[in-house]
Amino acid sequence: MLLSKHHPTFGPVDHHSGRQVVSGAFHYARVHPAQWRERLELCRAMGLDTVETYVPWNLHEPSPGTFRFDGLADVEGFLDQVAGIGLKAIVRPGPYICAEWDNGGLPAWLTGTPGIRVRTGDPAYLAAVDRWFDELVPRIAARQITRGGHVTMVQVENEYGSYGNDTGYLRHLRDGLRARGVDVPLFTSDAPTDLTLTGGLVEGAAATVNFGSKPEEAFEVLRRHRPQDPPFCMEFWNGWFDHWGGPHHERDAADAAAALEAMLKAGAGVNFYMVHGGTSFGVTAGANDDGRYLPTTTSYDYDAPIDERGRPTEKFWAFREVIGRFRELPPPPRQATTPVLPEAAVRFDRTLPLRESWTSLAQPPRRTPHPPTFEKLGIAHGLVRHRTRIPGPRPSRPLTLPGLADRAHVYAGGILLGIVDRGVGTAFDLEVPAEGLDVEILVESMGRVNYGPLLGERKGLVGGVLHGGVYLHGWDVSALALPDLPAADWAAAPVVGDCPPTRLPALLRGTFDAEEQADGFLALGGWGKGYVWVNGFCLGRYWDRGPQRTLYVPAPVVRSGPNELVVLELDHVEAPVATLEPHPGLGPR
């Protein structure tokens, strides 16, 4: 490892405090800012001395040259709170972060650029990265321990060996961090394999490895490639994430604690992934693709030692006990003071069918010869309506949506033919009368793939629309961007009553009362698929595929008195009733 004599050396022992580094991943954008401090205090009470965080580029630069560092994007405020309770910080600025975050943190407006090659030395990509780093990196550098702050390490890219081997790209990032003032140790992180370590390392940055078990084997692989680098597990996978339609993942606390103890006995640095997972609010959850498209759930609880609501779990106490064998522990955590919303049924009083209200909610339509992607329309996520008329007469032929990303409601002659999911390949046999036939396709995006060669995928009717193997052209297209709450005119909306709405998709509005700010979980049993807002704050997506059954409602978005609950339901609903519950329903294993 080549490091300037002016840069502190890297190691599992913090050379400022002389203590073995025991850190935990905490993504500030997955926790409401008003809840950061309470949960950071839990990290410290567990025995951690450091907190690690990713920086999701697409959250901070939602459109080219427009930057935000407020609310969930207030990385500086988060780092200052980390310092305020006496913790150090490890920052992983990417520009790619994975993290089960939409597009791995890369902006959709960037990856939607025709011909661009992300995570390489492509000049167009590097120009965007450099502009972003000009905004971000000085904010991190100002908080380094070498300047009286608390940031002790900064990562170069992320798990790059699992993607490619453009060492010139890694050198560009390394040199860019240094040029912008980063003088604490740099590092890379990769899986402990020959394949990934031969592609992901760069001189001037120490190598760390990511794994969940068998630390001796993992560190042995690291030693083969970097014998001079001390052992450091940058991602100790003590839990795991969930996909819609899959099982809920849990890991035995004793098993994870044993792996932790083995690493600490070996003198290794450890960073829990995650110490607190939180929630992928809005439309920030990503996806995987192993030959099947697998969108990630809204909950990022991760079976972590601090759960989604910010409470210590069995793992918390098991890990605290192990850490206590190697250092003096702080006092145990104080009992949580945030109250819980009482169990209650929430009834909906107004409904607004989406198709009839579309023109007042969505962007003005545009005429295009071919269905444009979401990126071409200038939206990252949401719903896009496509309308065309097929000339007739035509005999019955299959209507298909090749390359659909990700889900579509298909109508012909105003009648719903069905719902198509990405990769399913559903076709509708469609006969066209002499006068022609109107076709409407409402496309919904889910999370962009955040890992592997499909990173940077586009959304929409990517392969067009075919009838009998022939393209359909001439579309009227309009978009409804999410997660912004649609600007519905509720005064003009009809009353729901006790029966479910017959015209879906639809927006439904209800209210619930709270005596004070409190948090809880919202269950939508009998509902199909959609999005939820509480007082304008988007909790995220729900889907009856499970395993996740409830959405976390953070206390800071709840008001004393009446609270507005809005649901955008796309598929079906048995009854217009939701329930507030005190405990999460994350699904069976």
Side-chain angles (χ1 to χ4, degrees):
M1 177 177 66
L2 301 177
L3 284 175
S4 163
K5 64 182 179 180
H6 300 295
H7 300 144
T9 56
F10 170 88
V13 176
D14 177 15
H15 74 280
H16 293 277
S17 67
R19 298 212 309 179
Q20 190 172 6
V21 176
V22 183
S23 174
F26 184 131
H27 301 159
Y28 56 92
R30 284 181 160 130
V31 179
H32 193 284
Q35 297 173 317
W36 285 343
R37 184 172 186 86
E38 179 184 59
R39 300 179 189 198
L40 287 169
E41 287 175 343
L42 277 175
C43 295
R44 187 173 180 275
M46 198 176 90
L48 304 188
D49 52 64
T50 306
V51 163
E52 171 267 307
T53 196
Y54 278 128
V55 181
W57 180 5
N58 52 12
L59 179 70
H60 292 274
E61 192 179 2
S63 60
T66 300
F67 300 98
R68 56 169 299 213
F69 292 92
D70 63 332
L72 291 173
D74 186 8
V75 60
E76 294 169 288
F78 175 76
L79 290 175
D80 290 345
Q81 287 201 27
V82 172
I85 64 170
L87 292 170
K88 303 280 193 341
I90 298 171
V91 181
R92 305 168 81 181
Y96 162 80
I97 64 169
C98 187
E100 290 72 57
W101 187 272
D102 183 56
N103 219 22
L106 300 179
W109 55 259
L110 175 66
T111 57
T113 305
I116 198 165
R117 301 299 302 184
V118 300
R119 302 184 75 187
T120 71
D122 181 340
Y125 174 66
L126 291 183
V129 171
D130 286 342
R131 181 181 64 195
W132 162 231
F133 272 18
D134 284 344
E135 286 288 332
L136 171 67
V137 175
R139 301 169 191 263
I140 298 169
R143 290 165 170 81
Q144 294 175 107
I145 199 164
T146 51
R147 302 189 191 181
H150 65 298
V151 175
T152 58
M153 298 161 58
V154 174
Q155 182 169 291
V156 179
E157 237 266 359
N158 182 62
E159 294 184 315
Y160 187 68
S162 297
Y163 184 80
N165 65 349
D166 188 343
T167 54
Y169 164 59
L170 294 180
R171 288 194 297 269
H172 180 92
L173 296 180
R174 175 201 64 193
D175 295 345
L177 291 169
R178 291 299 188 208
R180 292 174 177 87
V182 174
D183 55 16
V184 295
L186 299 176
F187 67 94
T188 59
S189 69
D190 287 284
T193 69
D194 293 334
L195 175 68
T196 54
L197 290 173
T198 52
L201 305 187
V202 63
E203 292 183 344
T208 68
V209 284
N210 305 333
F211 55 85
S213 59
K214 301 180 180 178
E216 300 86 355
E217 297 177 16
F219 291 140
E220 178 55 34
V221 178
L222 175 62
R223 279 191 291 271
R224 288 207 310 266
H225 289 266
R226 281 289 184 85
Q228 72 274 34
D229 289 352
F232 202 119
C233 179
M234 189 51 64
E235 293 186 12
F236 169 41
W237 302 325
N238 56 89
W240 205 247
F241 56 92
D242 295 339
H243 291 126
W244 290 113
H248 172 56
H249 293 87
E250 295 178 353
R251 182 177 180 183
D252 179 72
D255 175 65
L260 170 64
E261 183 166 21
M263 285 187 279
L264 295 181
K265 281 183 177 178
V270 178
N271 179 53
F272 292 95
Y273 195 97
M274 302 287 297
V275 66
H276 176 45
T279 309
S280 297
F281 294 117
V283 293
T284 58
N288 290 98
D289 196 307
D290 62 359
R292 299 168 301 149
Y293 174 66
L294 302 167
T296 305
T297 59
T298 298
S299 173
Y300 202 65
D301 176 88
Y302 216 88
D303 192 34
I306 301 170
D307 70 12
E308 187 173 15
R309 190 178 168 241
R311 298 295 178 265
T313 69
E314 180 185 0
K315 276 184 183 167
F316 178 97
W317 299 106
F319 292 162
R320 177 179 155 90
E321 180 181 351
V322 170
I323 295 168
R325 298 171 194 156
F326 296 84
R327 63 174 55 171
E328 184 178 349
L329 290 171
R334 296 173 296 175
Q335 187 171 0
T337 57
T338 304
V340 182
L341 290 166
E343 292 188 62
V346 182
R347 297 192 176 273
F348 293 80
D349 57 1
R350 298 279 177 172
T351 181
L352 203 62
L354 191 62
R355 295 180 70 208
E356 288 84 338
S357 310
W358 185 266
T359 55
S360 66
L361 301 175
Q363 297 175 1
R366 64 178 76 178
R367 185 75 174 175
T368 66
H370 193 76
T373 63
F374 281 43
E375 295 78 10
K376 186 73 173 177
L377 292 169
I379 71 166
H381 280 293
L383 302 171
V384 175
R385 188 180 73 178
H386 308 73
R387 284 180 162 179
T388 192
R389 187 169 181 83
I390 307 177
R394 293 187 179 194
S396 180
R397 291 290 186 269
L399 181 77
T400 57
L401 314 177
L404 169 65
D406 297 302
R407 202 164 185 264
H409 290 63
V410 181
Y411 301 84
I415 298 172
L416 178 66
L417 300 181
I419 300 172
V420 184
D421 284 294
R422 172 175 174 167
V424 173
T426 302
F428 303 101
D429 290 329
L430 201 62
E431 182 179 352
V432 181
E435 65 271 20
L437 184 66
D438 289 328
V439 170
E440 177 181 321
I441 303 173
L442 183 67
V443 178
E444 178 199 9
S445 64
M446 292 291 287
R448 285 177 178 79
V449 170
N450 54 259
Y451 179 85
L454 294 183
L455 180 73
E457 61 168 348
R458 294 170 296 159
K459 295 297 184 184
L461 296 171
V462 178
V465 181
L466 301 174
H467 183 233
V470 176
Y471 282 115
L472 296 181
H473 290 128
W475 294 88
D476 291 315
V477 181
S478 59
L480 177 64
L482 298 175
D484 295 337
L485 178 64
D489 181 6
W490 293 112
V495 176
V496 176
D498 293 328
C499 298
T502 56
R503 292 177 293 173
L504 294 174
L507 288 160
L508 294 95
R509 188 200 68 176
T511 59
F512 65 91
D513 290 325
E515 293 184 359
E516 56 185 332
Q517 279 199 326
D519 58 18
F521 297 89
L522 183 74
L524 291 122
W527 299 65
K529 186 179 192 300
Y531 303 77
V532 178
W533 293 263
V534 171
N535 297 325
F537 180 88
C538 188
L539 303 182
R541 299 181 179 97
Y542 66 91
W543 201 353
D544 60 2
R545 286 187 178 179
Q548 182 178 349
R549 189 181 62 80
T550 59
L551 288 172
Y552 173 61
V553 182
V557 308
V558 176
R559 303 167 184 158
S560 175
N563 291 264
E564 181 186 65
L565 177 65
V566 175
V567 176
L568 172 55
E569 170 58 51
L570 300 175
D571 292 359
H572 65 83
V573 55
E574 294 177 3
V577 179
T579 55
L580 292 167
E581 300 182 359
H583 304 293
L586 299 181
R589 296 180 64 174

